[in-house]
Amino acid sequence: MPIEFDITLDVKDLYRFNLYQAYAGFQGIFSIVVAAAVCVLAVVSRGKVEPMYTAVYAGFCVMFLLYLPAALYLRSKASLARSEVLRAPLHFTVDENGFTVSQAEARAELPWKQIYKMVATKSNVLVYSSRINAYVIPRGQLGENYGPLAELANARLEKFRVKMK
C-alpha cells in the first residue's frame, strides 16, 4: 500500500537541514572542538596576556560559535524567498518502487536503488539522492506516516544507507 503525504517547507525546516549538513560530518565536529578550545583559551588567558589577545580569542570564539549558524539561517531564508519551487507544496508517494514527488505538473521518481541514504533527525526525514542533495521532509508534517515510511526504508535499503528507527 503506497504512503502518500504533502509537505510545505518553511525557513526552520531548511535551516535544520543546513545545520545537519554543516555539523554532522568531520568538519562540523572539528569546528565545534576548535571553537571550544578557543573559548577555553580566552578564559584561561584572561589576566595572563595582554587584554587585546584575550579579546581576539573571545572574538574567534564568538565567530566560530555564532557565525555559521547565523549564516545558515540567512541562507535558508534567502533560498526560500528566492525559490517558488521550495515554497510550493510537494506531494510524495512512497511505495515498493521508491519515491515519486510531484508539484503542479512536474513529477520526479527516485527508485530505491538510487537513494544514497535516508536519515531521520529529530525534526526532519532526509532522503538523499547524492551526498549533498536531499528531499527534506518535516517530521511534524509526516505525522503517522513516519512508522510505515521507516519500515519500508529499512526493508528496501541496505542497513548502512538508512538511519531511521
Side-chain angles (χ1 to χ4, degrees):
M1 184 171 116
I3 303 166
E4 294 193 40
F5 52 91
D6 294 313
I7 64 119
T8 303
L9 293 176
D10 62 15
V11 174
K12 72 178 178 192
D13 299 322
L14 286 179
Y15 175 62
R16 288 175 179 160
F17 168 68
N18 285 328
L19 277 178
Y20 178 81
Q21 286 285 93
Y23 287 113
F26 173 77
Q27 184 178 4
I29 294 168
F30 182 73
S31 72
I32 292 171
V33 169
V34 169
V38 172
C39 290
V40 168
L41 185 61
V43 170
V44 170
S45 70
R46 186 170 177 249
K48 296 179 183 173
V49 296
E50 292 182 35
M52 184 61 169
Y53 288 115
T54 302
V56 168
Y57 298 148
F60 278 121
C61 174
V62 168
M63 184 179 79
F64 277 114
L65 290 177
L66 298 180
Y67 173 74
L68 185 58
L72 291 174
Y73 179 79
L74 293 174
R75 182 188 313 165
S76 300
K77 192 173 181 180
S79 294
L80 203 59
R82 275 193 317 263
S83 176
E84 180 63 36
V85 173
L86 290 176
R87 286 192 311 269
L90 291 170
H91 180 75
F92 284 81
T93 304
V94 185
D95 57 21
E96 293 296 320
N97 299 320
F99 281 76
T100 303
V101 184
S102 57
Q103 183 180 60
E105 297 84 36
R107 177 184 158 113
E109 293 186 10
L110 183 63
W112 287 108
K113 66 182 178 180
Q114 290 181 355
I115 293 177
Y116 180 75
K117 70 178 176 178
M118 277 183 72
V119 177
T121 66
K122 185 175 113 178
S123 54
N124 293 323
V125 173
L126 308 172
V127 182
Y128 284 87
S129 58
S130 69
R131 289 192 73 205
I132 57 173
N133 297 321
Y135 289 108
V136 179
I137 303 170
R139 281 181 77 162
Q141 295 180 39
L142 193 55
E144 73 272 353
N145 290 318
Y146 177 78
L149 179 63
E151 287 177 21
L152 193 54
N154 282 306
R156 301 295 294 170
L157 295 172
E158 296 94 348
K159 299 291 180 218
F160 67 93
R161 293 198 186 277
V162 60
K163 294 180 184 172
M164 295 178 73
K165 294 179 184 175

Short mmCIF file of all heavy atoms in Angstrom, two decimals, residues 49-96:
data_model
loop_
_atom_site.label_atom_id
_atom_site.label_comp_id
_atom_site.label_asym_id
_atom_site.label_seq_id
_atom_site.Cartn_x
_atom_site.Cartn_y
_atom_site.Cartn_z
N VAL A 49 47.81 37.49 29.69
CA VAL A 49 48.36 38.09 28.47
C VAL A 49 47.71 39.46 28.31
O VAL A 49 46.81 39.84 29.06
CB VAL A 49 48.10 37.22 27.22
CG1 VAL A 49 48.81 35.89 27.33
CG2 VAL A 49 46.63 37.01 26.97
N GLU A 50 48.18 40.18 27.30
CA GLU A 50 47.59 41.50 27.05
C GLU A 50 46.09 41.36 26.77
O GLU A 50 45.67 40.38 26.14
CB GLU A 50 48.28 42.16 25.86
CG GLU A 50 49.72 42.54 26.14
CD GLU A 50 50.35 43.24 24.95
OE1 GLU A 50 49.62 44.00 24.27
OE2 GLU A 50 51.54 43.04 24.72
N PRO A 51 45.31 42.30 27.22
CA PRO A 51 43.86 42.23 27.01
C PRO A 51 43.46 42.10 25.53
O PRO A 51 42.44 41.50 25.21
CB PRO A 51 43.33 43.54 27.60
CG PRO A 51 44.37 43.95 28.58
CD PRO A 51 45.68 43.46 28.04
N MET A 52 44.28 42.63 24.65
CA MET A 52 43.97 42.55 23.22
C MET A 52 43.94 41.08 22.76
O MET A 52 43.08 40.69 21.97
CB MET A 52 45.01 43.34 22.43
CG MET A 52 44.70 43.39 20.97
SD MET A 52 43.11 44.22 20.75
CE MET A 52 43.12 44.45 19.02
N TYR A 53 44.88 40.27 23.23
CA TYR A 53 44.89 38.85 22.86
C TYR A 53 43.66 38.13 23.38
O TYR A 53 43.05 37.31 22.68
CB TYR A 53 46.16 38.15 23.37
CG TYR A 53 47.41 38.56 22.63
CD1 TYR A 53 48.43 39.26 23.26
CD2 TYR A 53 47.57 38.25 21.28
CE1 TYR A 53 49.56 39.62 22.58
CE2 TYR A 53 48.69 38.63 20.59
CZ TYR A 53 49.70 39.31 21.25
OH TYR A 53 50.82 39.68 20.57
N THR A 54 43.28 38.41 24.60
CA THR A 54 42.08 37.80 25.16
C THR A 54 40.85 38.19 24.35
O THR A 54 39.98 37.37 24.08
CB THR A 54 41.91 38.20 26.64
OG1 THR A 54 43.07 37.79 27.36
CG2 THR A 54 40.69 37.55 27.25
N ALA A 55 40.80 39.46 23.95
CA ALA A 55 39.68 39.94 23.13
C ALA A 55 39.65 39.24 21.77
O ALA A 55 38.58 38.87 21.26
CB ALA A 55 39.75 41.44 22.95
N VAL A 56 40.82 39.03 21.20
CA VAL A 56 40.90 38.33 19.91
C VAL A 56 40.42 36.89 20.06
O VAL A 56 39.65 36.38 19.24
CB VAL A 56 42.34 38.37 19.33
CG1 VAL A 56 42.49 37.42 18.15
CG2 VAL A 56 42.68 39.79 18.91
N TYR A 57 40.87 36.21 21.14
CA TYR A 57 40.42 34.83 21.39
C TYR A 57 38.90 34.78 21.57
O TYR A 57 38.22 33.91 21.02
CB TYR A 57 41.10 34.24 22.62
CG TYR A 57 42.61 34.13 22.52
CD1 TYR A 57 43.40 34.26 23.66
CD2 TYR A 57 43.24 33.90 21.31
CE1 TYR A 57 44.77 34.16 23.58
CE2 TYR A 57 44.62 33.80 21.23
CZ TYR A 57 45.38 33.93 22.37
OH TYR A 57 46.74 33.83 22.31
N ALA A 58 38.37 35.73 22.34
CA ALA A 58 36.92 35.78 22.56
C ALA A 58 36.18 36.06 21.25
O ALA A 58 35.12 35.48 20.99
CB ALA A 58 36.58 36.83 23.61
N GLY A 59 36.76 36.92 20.43
CA GLY A 59 36.16 37.22 19.12
C GLY A 59 36.10 35.99 18.23
O GLY A 59 35.09 35.71 17.58
N PHE A 60 37.19 35.22 18.21
CA PHE A 60 37.20 33.99 17.43
C PHE A 60 36.21 32.98 17.98
O PHE A 60 35.56 32.25 17.23
CB PHE A 60 38.60 33.37 17.38
CG PHE A 60 39.49 33.99 16.34
CD1 PHE A 60 40.70 34.57 16.69
CD2 PHE A 60 39.14 33.98 15.00
CE1 PHE A 60 41.51 35.14 15.74
CE2 PHE A 60 39.95 34.54 14.03
CZ PHE A 60 41.15 35.12 14.41
N CYS A 61 36.09 32.93 19.30
CA CYS A 61 35.14 32.02 19.93
C CYS A 61 33.72 32.35 19.46
O CYS A 61 32.97 31.46 19.03
CB CYS A 61 35.24 32.14 21.46
SG CYS A 61 33.99 31.21 22.34
N VAL A 62 33.36 33.61 19.52
CA VAL A 62 32.03 34.04 19.09
C VAL A 62 31.84 33.78 17.60
O VAL A 62 30.79 33.30 17.16
CB VAL A 62 31.80 35.53 19.43
CG1 VAL A 62 30.56 36.08 18.75
CG2 VAL A 62 31.72 35.71 20.94
N MET A 63 32.88 34.04 16.83
CA MET A 63 32.79 33.84 15.39
C MET A 63 32.54 32.36 15.06
O MET A 63 31.66 32.02 14.27
CB MET A 63 34.05 34.32 14.68
CG MET A 63 33.98 34.23 13.17
SD MET A 63 35.45 34.83 12.38
CE MET A 63 36.52 33.43 12.58
N PHE A 64 33.31 31.46 15.69
CA PHE A 64 33.15 30.03 15.42
C PHE A 64 31.79 29.53 15.89
O PHE A 64 31.18 28.69 15.23
CB PHE A 64 34.23 29.22 16.12
CG PHE A 64 35.52 29.14 15.34
CD1 PHE A 64 36.67 29.72 15.84
CD2 PHE A 64 35.58 28.48 14.13
CE1 PHE A 64 37.86 29.65 15.13
CE2 PHE A 64 36.76 28.40 13.42
CZ PHE A 64 37.91 28.99 13.92
N LEU A 65 31.31 30.02 17.02
CA LEU A 65 30.05 29.50 17.57
C LEU A 65 28.80 30.12 16.96
O LEU A 65 27.78 29.46 16.85
CB LEU A 65 30.02 29.69 19.09
CG LEU A 65 30.99 28.82 19.88
CD1 LEU A 65 30.90 29.15 21.37
CD2 LEU A 65 30.71 27.35 19.65
N LEU A 66 28.87 31.38 16.57
CA LEU A 66 27.66 32.07 16.11
C LEU A 66 27.60 32.35 14.62
O LEU A 66 26.51 32.42 14.05
CB LEU A 66 27.49 33.37 16.88
CG LEU A 66 27.31 33.25 18.39
CD1 LEU A 66 27.17 34.62 19.01
CD2 LEU A 66 26.14 32.38 18.73
N TYR A 67 28.75 32.53 13.99
CA TYR A 67 28.75 32.94 12.59
C TYR A 67 28.09 31.90 11.68
O TYR A 67 27.20 32.22 10.89
CB TYR A 67 30.16 33.25 12.09
CG TYR A 67 30.18 33.51 10.61
CD1 TYR A 67 29.69 34.71 10.09
CD2 TYR A 67 30.61 32.54 9.71
CE1 TYR A 67 29.66 34.95 8.74
CE2 TYR A 67 30.58 32.77 8.35
CZ TYR A 67 30.11 33.97 7.87
OH TYR A 67 30.07 34.20 6.54
N LEU A 68 28.52 30.66 11.77
CA LEU A 68 27.99 29.63 10.87
C LEU A 68 26.48 29.43 11.04
O LEU A 68 25.75 29.44 10.04
CB LEU A 68 28.74 28.32 11.02
CG LEU A 68 28.34 27.22 10.04
CD1 LEU A 68 28.51 27.67 8.59
CD2 LEU A 68 29.14 25.95 10.30
N PRO A 69 25.97 29.26 12.26
CA PRO A 69 24.51 29.13 12.38
C PRO A 69 23.75 30.35 11.85
O PRO A 69 22.71 30.20 11.19
CB PRO A 69 24.29 28.94 13.88
CG PRO A 69 25.57 28.37 14.38
CD PRO A 69 26.64 29.01 13.54
N ALA A 70 24.26 31.54 12.12
CA ALA A 70 23.59 32.75 11.62
C ALA A 70 23.62 32.80 10.10
O ALA A 70 22.61 33.11 9.45
CB ALA A 70 24.23 34.00 12.21
N ALA A 71 24.77 32.47 9.52
CA ALA A 71 24.89 32.47 8.06
C ALA A 71 23.97 31.42 7.44
O ALA A 71 23.34 31.66 6.40
CB ALA A 71 26.33 32.22 7.66
N LEU A 72 23.87 30.25 8.07
CA LEU A 72 22.99 29.21 7.55
C LEU A 72 21.52 29.62 7.63
O LEU A 72 20.74 29.33 6.72
CB LEU A 72 23.20 27.90 8.30
CG LEU A 72 24.55 27.21 8.06
CD1 LEU A 72 24.69 26.01 8.97
CD2 LEU A 72 24.71 26.82 6.61
N TYR A 73 21.15 30.30 8.69
CA TYR A 73 19.77 30.77 8.81
C TYR A 73 19.46 31.79 7.70
O TYR A 73 18.41 31.69 7.04
CB TYR A 73 19.50 31.39 10.18
CG TYR A 73 18.09 31.90 10.31
CD1 TYR A 73 17.05 31.03 10.55
CD2 TYR A 73 17.79 33.24 10.12
CE1 TYR A 73 15.74 31.48 10.63
CE2 TYR A 73 16.49 33.70 10.19
CZ TYR A 73 15.46 32.82 10.45
OH TYR A 73 14.18 33.27 10.51
N LEU A 74 20.36 32.73 7.50
CA LEU A 74 20.14 33.75 6.46
C LEU A 74 20.11 33.11 5.07
O LEU A 74 19.31 33.51 4.22
CB LEU A 74 21.22 34.82 6.54
CG LEU A 74 21.17 35.69 7.81
CD1 LEU A 74 22.36 36.63 7.86
CD2 LEU A 74 19.86 36.45 7.90
N ARG A 75 20.95 32.09 4.85
CA ARG A 75 20.95 31.40 3.56
C ARG A 75 19.63 30.66 3.36
O ARG A 75 19.07 30.66 2.26
CB ARG A 75 22.11 30.41 3.48
CG ARG A 75 22.16 29.71 2.13
CD ARG A 75 23.15 28.59 2.04
NE ARG A 75 24.45 28.93 2.56
CZ ARG A 75 25.37 28.02 2.84
NH1 ARG A 75 25.11 26.74 2.67
NH2 ARG A 75 26.54 28.37 3.30
N SER A 76 19.13 30.02 4.40
CA SER A 76 17.86 29.29 4.31
C SER A 76 16.71 30.25 4.00
O SER A 76 15.86 29.96 3.17
CB SER A 76 17.57 28.55 5.62
OG SER A 76 18.58 27.63 5.90
N LYS A 77 16.71 31.38 4.69
CA LYS A 77 15.65 32.38 4.49
C LYS A 77 15.70 32.92 3.06
O LYS A 77 14.66 33.06 2.40
CB LYS A 77 15.83 33.50 5.51
CG LYS A 77 14.68 34.44 5.60
CD LYS A 77 14.88 35.40 6.76
CE LYS A 77 13.71 36.33 6.86
NZ LYS A 77 13.86 37.27 7.97
N ALA A 78 16.90 33.21 2.57
CA ALA A 78 17.04 33.74 1.21
C ALA A 78 16.66 32.69 0.17
O ALA A 78 16.00 33.02 -0.83
CB ALA A 78 18.48 34.21 0.98
N SER A 79 17.04 31.45 0.38
CA SER A 79 16.70 30.38 -0.57
C SER A 79 15.19 30.23 -0.68
O SER A 79 14.66 30.08 -1.78
CB SER A 79 17.29 29.04 -0.12
OG SER A 79 18.68 29.08 -0.19
N LEU A 80 14.52 30.25 0.44
CA LEU A 80 13.07 30.10 0.42
C LEU A 80 12.40 31.31 -0.23
O LEU A 80 11.43 31.16 -0.98
CB LEU A 80 12.55 29.90 1.85
CG LEU A 80 11.21 29.22 1.97
CD1 LEU A 80 11.22 27.84 1.34
CD2 LEU A 80 10.80 29.10 3.41
N ALA A 81 12.93 32.49 0.02
CA ALA A 81 12.35 33.71 -0.58
C ALA A 81 12.55 33.73 -2.09
O ALA A 81 11.68 34.21 -2.82
CB ALA A 81 12.98 34.94 0.06
N ARG A 82 13.69 33.23 -2.57
CA ARG A 82 14.01 33.25 -4.00
C ARG A 82 13.29 32.19 -4.80
O ARG A 82 13.05 32.37 -5.99
CB ARG A 82 15.52 33.02 -4.21
CG ARG A 82 16.39 34.20 -4.12
CD ARG A 82 17.79 33.89 -4.65
NE ARG A 82 18.34 32.61 -4.25
CZ ARG A 82 19.17 32.43 -3.23
NH1 ARG A 82 19.54 33.44 -2.49
NH2 ARG A 82 19.63 31.23 -2.95
N SER A 83 12.98 31.07 -4.20
CA SER A 83 12.53 29.91 -4.96
C SER A 83 11.05 29.61 -4.75
O SER A 83 10.64 29.19 -3.67
CB SER A 83 13.37 28.69 -4.56
OG SER A 83 12.90 27.55 -5.21
N GLU A 84 10.30 29.74 -5.81
CA GLU A 84 8.89 29.38 -5.79
C GLU A 84 8.74 27.86 -5.62
O GLU A 84 7.81 27.38 -4.98
CB GLU A 84 8.19 29.83 -7.08
CG GLU A 84 6.73 29.50 -7.15
CD GLU A 84 5.89 30.17 -6.07
OE1 GLU A 84 6.20 31.32 -5.72
OE2 GLU A 84 4.94 29.53 -5.57
N VAL A 85 9.68 27.12 -6.17
CA VAL A 85 9.65 25.66 -6.08
C VAL A 85 9.76 25.21 -4.63
O VAL A 85 9.05 24.29 -4.20
CB VAL A 85 10.79 25.04 -6.93
CG1 VAL A 85 10.89 23.55 -6.72
CG2 VAL A 85 10.59 25.36 -8.40
N LEU A 86 10.62 25.84 -3.84
CA LEU A 86 10.77 25.47 -2.43
C LEU A 86 9.56 25.86 -1.60
O LEU A 86 9.23 25.20 -0.63
CB LEU A 86 12.02 26.09 -1.84
CG LEU A 86 13.37 25.55 -2.33
CD1 LEU A 86 14.52 26.35 -1.73
CD2 LEU A 86 13.50 24.08 -1.99
N ARG A 87 8.89 26.95 -1.97
CA ARG A 87 7.74 27.43 -1.20
C ARG A 87 6.46 26.65 -1.50
O ARG A 87 5.58 26.56 -0.65
CB ARG A 87 7.49 28.91 -1.47
CG ARG A 87 8.49 29.84 -0.83
CD ARG A 87 8.03 31.29 -0.89
NE ARG A 87 7.59 31.74 -2.19
CZ ARG A 87 8.35 32.31 -3.11
NH1 ARG A 87 9.63 32.49 -2.87
NH2 ARG A 87 7.85 32.70 -4.25
N ALA A 88 6.36 26.09 -2.68
CA ALA A 88 5.13 25.39 -3.08
C ALA A 88 5.06 24.00 -2.43
O ALA A 88 6.08 23.38 -2.16
CB ALA A 88 5.08 25.27 -4.60
N PRO A 89 3.84 23.52 -2.18
CA PRO A 89 3.69 22.18 -1.58
C PRO A 89 4.19 21.07 -2.50
O PRO A 89 4.08 21.17 -3.72
CB PRO A 89 2.18 22.05 -1.38
CG PRO A 89 1.62 23.41 -1.51
CD PRO A 89 2.56 24.20 -2.36
N LEU A 90 4.74 20.04 -1.89
CA LEU A 90 5.19 18.84 -2.61
C LEU A 90 4.31 17.67 -2.20
O LEU A 90 3.98 17.52 -1.02
CB LEU A 90 6.64 18.51 -2.25
CG LEU A 90 7.73 19.44 -2.74
CD1 LEU A 90 9.05 19.09 -2.08
CD2 LEU A 90 7.85 19.35 -4.24
N HIS A 91 3.96 16.84 -3.16
CA HIS A 91 3.18 15.63 -2.87
C HIS A 91 4.11 14.43 -3.04
O HIS A 91 4.72 14.25 -4.10
CB HIS A 91 1.99 15.51 -3.81
CG HIS A 91 1.18 14.28 -3.54
ND1 HIS A 91 0.33 14.18 -2.46
CD2 HIS A 91 1.13 13.09 -4.20
CE1 HIS A 91 -0.22 12.98 -2.47
NE2 HIS A 91 0.25 12.30 -3.52
N PHE A 92 4.23 13.63 -1.99
CA PHE A 92 5.07 12.44 -2.00
C PHE A 92 4.21 11.19 -2.05
O PHE A 92 3.21 11.10 -1.34
CB PHE A 92 5.93 12.37 -0.73
CG PHE A 92 7.09 13.31 -0.70
CD1 PHE A 92 6.92 14.64 -0.35
CD2 PHE A 92 8.36 12.87 -1.02
CE1 PHE A 92 7.98 15.51 -0.32
CE2 PHE A 92 9.44 13.73 -0.99
CZ PHE A 92 9.26 15.06 -0.64
N THR A 93 4.63 10.23 -2.86
CA THR A 93 4.06 8.89 -2.86
C THR A 93 5.24 7.94 -2.72
O THR A 93 6.18 7.97 -3.52
CB THR A 93 3.30 8.59 -4.16
OG1 THR A 93 2.30 9.59 -4.36
CG2 THR A 93 2.66 7.22 -4.12
N VAL A 94 5.19 7.10 -1.69
CA VAL A 94 6.27 6.15 -1.43
C VAL A 94 5.67 4.75 -1.49
O VAL A 94 4.68 4.47 -0.82
CB VAL A 94 6.92 6.39 -0.05
CG1 VAL A 94 8.12 5.48 0.14
CG2 VAL A 94 7.31 7.84 0.13
N ASP A 95 6.29 3.89 -2.32
CA ASP A 95 5.82 2.52 -2.43
C ASP A 95 7.00 1.59 -2.63
O ASP A 95 8.15 1.98 -2.41
CB ASP A 95 4.79 2.38 -3.57
CG ASP A 95 5.34 2.83 -4.92
OD1 ASP A 95 6.57 2.89 -5.09
OD2 ASP A 95 4.52 3.12 -5.80
N GLU A 96 6.75 0.35 -3.05
CA GLU A 96 7.80 -0.65 -3.23
C GLU A 96 8.82 -0.24 -4.30
O GLU A 96 9.93 -0.75 -4.32
CB GLU A 96 7.19 -2.01 -3.58
CG GLU A 96 6.39 -2.62 -2.45
CD GLU A 96 7.25 -2.95 -1.24
OE1 GLU A 96 8.39 -3.44 -1.41
OE2 GLU A 96 6.78 -2.72 -0.11
#
